[in-house]
Amino acid sequence: MTTKAWAATSPSLIEPVTIQRRAPDDDDISIQILFAGICHSDIHSSRSEWVKTTYPLVPGHEISGIVSAIGANVGRFKVGDRVGVGCMVNSCRSCESCKEGEEQYCLKGATWTYNARDPKHAGKITQGGYSQHIVVDQAFVLRIPDSVPLDLAAPLLCAGITVYSPLKRWGICQGKKVGVIGLGGLGHMAVKLAKALGAQVTVFSQTLGKKELGLKMGADHYYATSDTSVLKPLRRSFDFIINTVSAKIPLTLYLTLLRRDGTLVEVGMPVEPLSVVPFALSAQRVSLTGSSIGGIRETQEMLDFCGAKQVFPEIETIPASYINEAYERVLKSQVKFRFVIDVSTMGTPSRM
Ligand code: NAP
Ligand code: ZN
Ligand code: ZN
């Protein structure tokens, strides 16, 4: 099937292209995409900042839409169902991580939604959600609850699960003091989800520019990190801090804000290595760790949780023609708080 898409054709340009999607195999679901969120990872990848990017690259791993066709073995979904796809479209399914529902840590390497070789389909490079259709194995398709609007569902598939998973793993609940560094796509979901889990939440942002919005979405306290002296009184007061920043920041400073045995989890993936002063780890036996998205089972749990609690992202819906400008605004931290592409603005492919 030919489908319209927008692709990075070089590190500096996203433009319209036409791509081929496979016909659904027996286990596949064909999805008409309606919305695709813009994650900062799309920008890192479009610009070949992590691994070498194969151009043209269709980014997008925050995908929501409607089932348009199913393979013979598909029992869990039917045509017309509301579904989502996140950062993975397959994994080995037999390693220790896959068996435990942590497919993102597949020991053979999960098949990422874009810019990855797909071992099950002749090593073809995967292409993501800035497109009108995608074909995905049913095991990697999520059900979107009726209580979650499809445009608001899209950012949950990466930003939502990436912060939900560590919040759950480190037992965030009422009485816990949580810090969130960076109030962008991931950061604002971390504020909302930590709050929904009952925690007291503090935002660390570069400026006070988004303070009012941050407090409105549930943060209890808000600090600008441009003047680090304001953080001194907060030393040794947090149980858990999540760093969502896409650039290198001084982690040592934040480690000193943790209580004894507290945890700082790194989810931001800057290109530059981070550094820490070892004393900041040993002084209060704090942990510095990281976390990658979440498994399929946990992603479904998060979608159901957001539906039940009505926890949704703040989005700005844009036409496909605005993607390049949207990237520039994300890079300047001028997104409030996730851009979501209305995929219907890509036009109808001339031939399907
Ligand atoms: P985003 O919307 O651009 O948010 C990042 C925020 O970081 C910005 O809004 C800004 O917050 C802050 N920031 C940016 N540059 C900064 C700088 N130089 N110094 C201090 N703060 C800065 O990006 P996102 O989509 O949330 O993604 C954030 C990072 O997470 C990216 O690196 C992305 O690749 C990564 N990621 C990781 C996973 C995973 O599985 N671990 C999943 C998805 C994304 P303020 O304006 O509030 O300062
Ligand atoms: Zn992402
Ligand atoms: Zn595996």
Side-chain angles (χ1 to χ4, degrees):
M1 172 197 272
T2 306
T3 186
K4 218 165 200 169
W6 281 60
T9 50
S10 74
S12 57
L13 182 67
I14 313 280
E15 58 182 332
V17 296
T18 302
I19 58 167
Q20 285 296 322
R21 293 295 192 192
R22 65 175 185 266
D25 293 341
D26 287 350
D27 287 314
D28 280 341
I29 297 185
S30 182
I31 299 166
Q32 182 197 353
I33 299 176
L34 296 180
F35 296 100
I38 294 181
C39 177
H40 205 118
S41 303
D42 300 350
I43 304 178
H44 291 306
S45 303
S46 295
R47 300 188 171 200
S48 205
E49 290 177 350
W50 289 337
V51 293
K52 195 168 179 291
T53 291
T54 306
Y55 296 102
L57 160 78
V58 179
H61 57 207
E62 294 186 336
I63 300 168
S64 67
I66 302 285
V67 174
S68 56
I70 54 172
N73 294 342
V74 175
R76 290 171 50 231
F77 294 95
K78 58 181 192 316
V79 171
D81 280 356
R82 307 162 83 251
V83 291
V85 177
C87 302
M88 299 176 282
V89 288
N90 219 328
S91 70
C92 86
R93 315 210 196 167
S94 55
C95 75
E96 191 182 302
S97 297
C98 287
K99 281 192 190 146
E100 289 172 11
E102 303 269 26
E103 300 89 349
Q104 73 279 31
Y105 303 119
C106 175
L107 295 174
K108 294 198 178 132
T111 306
W112 306 112
T113 303
Y114 58 74
N115 203 30
R117 257 174 220 294
D118 185 346
K120 205 181 157 204
H121 296 94
K124 219 176 156 226
I125 301 293
T126 54
Q127 300 288 7
Y130 298 5
S131 61
Q132 291 192 319
H133 279 90
I134 193 166
V135 178
V136 179
D137 189 292
Q138 60 175 328
F140 285 77
V141 174
L142 287 308
R143 184 175 295 285
I144 295 176
D146 288 341
S147 52
V148 182
L150 283 178
D151 53 349
L152 299 177
L156 299 177
L157 275 308
C158 175
I161 184 59
T162 300
V163 297
Y164 180 85
S165 183
L167 289 169
K168 291 292 285 190
R169 178 164 183 82
W170 277 278
I172 299 312
C173 59
Q174 202 168 4
K176 297 282 184 188
K177 283 183 77 176
V178 169
V180 176
I181 316 174
L183 194 66
L186 268 56
H188 93 292
M189 284 311 303
V191 171
K192 290 188 178 213
L193 285 164
K195 207 61 209 167
L197 291 167
Q200 190 193 109
V201 182
T202 299
V203 172
F204 302 106
S205 182
Q206 292 168 95
T207 68
L208 292 178
K210 293 178 269 189
K211 181 174 178 183
E212 211 172 301
L213 293 168
L215 296 180
K216 205 168 145 205
M217 68 179 74
D220 300 283
H221 307 285
Y222 200 106
Y223 292 91
T225 54
S226 45
D227 173 12
T228 51
S229 67
V230 299
L231 304 184
K232 279 209 178 112
L234 306 178
R235 273 168 69 87
R236 298 185 180 160
S237 63
F238 288 90
D239 299 290
F240 180 86
I241 297 178
I242 184 165
N243 180 20
T244 72
V245 173
S246 47
K248 181 179 180 175
I249 58 162
L251 281 191
T252 297
L253 172 68
Y254 295 97
L255 290 170
T256 65
L257 304 188
L258 290 170
R259 278 187 182 142
R260 177 167 54 81
D261 294 323
T263 300
L264 191 157
V265 66
E266 178 67 32
V267 292
M269 291 292 130
V271 181
E272 263 190 280
L274 299 167
S275 65
V276 296
V277 174
F279 278 114
L281 294 168
S282 61
Q284 291 297 315
R285 198 171 53 194
V286 301
S287 302
L288 171 60
T289 183
S291 188
S292 176
I293 50 170
I296 294 298
R297 188 176 53 218
E298 194 172 41
T299 304
Q300 188 62 60
E301 177 190 305
M302 177 273 314
L303 287 167
D304 296 342
F305 178 87
C306 289
K309 299 263 182 186
Q310 295 284 286
V311 175
F312 300 136
E314 309 286 321
I315 64 167
E316 185 176 332
T317 307
I318 57 164
S321 56
Y322 191 74
I323 295 171
N324 290 287
E325 215 168 325
Y327 274 26
E328 291 306 321
R329 279 182 55 197
V330 172
L331 289 167
K332 290 183 196 145
S333 304
Q334 286 173 356
V335 51
K336 290 173 185 163
F337 285 85
R338 199 54 138 191
F339 287 115
V340 173
I341 305 162
D342 175 352
V343 168
S344 70
T345 60
M346 284 178 189
T348 311
S350 47
R351 142 179 98 77
M352 296 285 272

